[in-house]
Amino acid sequence: MSAPERIPPRGVTSDGRTSAAELLAEGELTVRGQVREASNAVLYCSVSYEGREAACVYKPVAGERPLWDFPDGTLAQREVAAYEVSEATGWGLVPPTVLRDGPYGEGMCQLWIEGVPGSELLALVDGEEAGEGWKAVGFAEVGDGETALLVHADDRRLRRLAVLDAVINNADRKGGHLLPAAEDRLYGIDHGVTFNVENKLRTLLWGWAGEPLTDEAVDVLKRLRDALGDGGELAAKLSPLITAAELDATRERVATLLRTGRHPEPSGEWPAIPWPPV
């Protein structure tokens, strides 16, 4: 018997026969292990379908810990909603993600992305200036009463992700949720605490706060505005995943970004940096 064909990260084999989303939705899930450091149940699995196979993450709803500010049992749906918005941008910043039944009930299933080492996106530096090629986030305690300046790369991929996070109201953009991948790609993962009606944006990507949006971002936001309108394709995909109020709030965030033409700034009403930051 020949070995199953692997599915590449962008999700379609060379002959176009099986997309990653189809593989994740229709394939047979086999649990291989558990990601122990995760706050919710995160299972490392393989999924196979019609001779194709891939590694994936399966997060069953039954393994979600209740949160005071999000309805119980909704984190998996929010992960899928984040993927749908990412796909609508055309930037492909979130790995293929579906909602499906699995060995432990309904849950989120996402293509596993192998990170590529050596791509430095975050750093702590001495002094008060970020330096060329970096954007300042803020000062962080590093022990013994010492502080250092937390910076992130002035990277086009990160800037796109900052726009996506503003749209989906990501309350937990940590350094460990950034995955540099093959072919110079960057993925963001762990989007369970998103789409809240209240402004909860917490991120390490504040380096562009208050700066004008790029022309590319404005064009993408205009497309999102249209796709989120009544009868829009994206609105139809999000409606089963988030509440009507959350969908309206997403529309309003897009409208605000277009009206101001700038990256959002910390509101001061909510901690701006996630903890722990990595």
Side-chain angles (χ1 to χ4, degrees), residues 137-250:
V137 178
F139 289 96
E141 293 186 9
V142 293
D144 297 327
E146 299 292 327
T147 61
L149 184 63
L150 176 63
V151 299
H152 64 67
D154 189 3
D155 185 292
R156 179 187 183 190
R157 303 167 301 169
L158 284 181
R159 192 165 190 173
R160 288 173 169 178
L161 195 58
V163 174
L164 176 66
D165 284 342
V167 171
I168 66 177
N169 196 16
N170 191 352
D172 197 31
R173 175 60 72 206
K174 298 176 180 177
H177 299 168
L178 304 173
L179 293 181
E183 300 178 358
D184 200 35
R185 297 196 59 83
L186 176 70
Y187 293 95
I189 59 170
D190 285 347
H191 297 105
V193 285
T194 49
F195 296 98
N196 202 296
V197 172
E198 298 179 8
N199 179 10
K200 292 184 178 291
L201 184 60
R202 293 197 304 174
T203 176
L204 291 180
L205 304 181
W206 286 116
W208 297 283
E211 293 188 15
L213 296 166
T214 64
D215 291 341
E216 176 195 46
V218 171
D219 289 342
V220 165
L221 289 166
K222 288 178 179 178
R223 293 202 303 271
L224 288 181
R225 177 187 59 194
D226 295 340
L228 287 166
D230 291 339
E233 182 178 358
L234 182 56
K237 290 179 178 179
L238 295 184
S239 291
L241 301 170
I242 59 177
T243 68
E246 289 166 343
L247 180 55
D248 285 341
T250 304

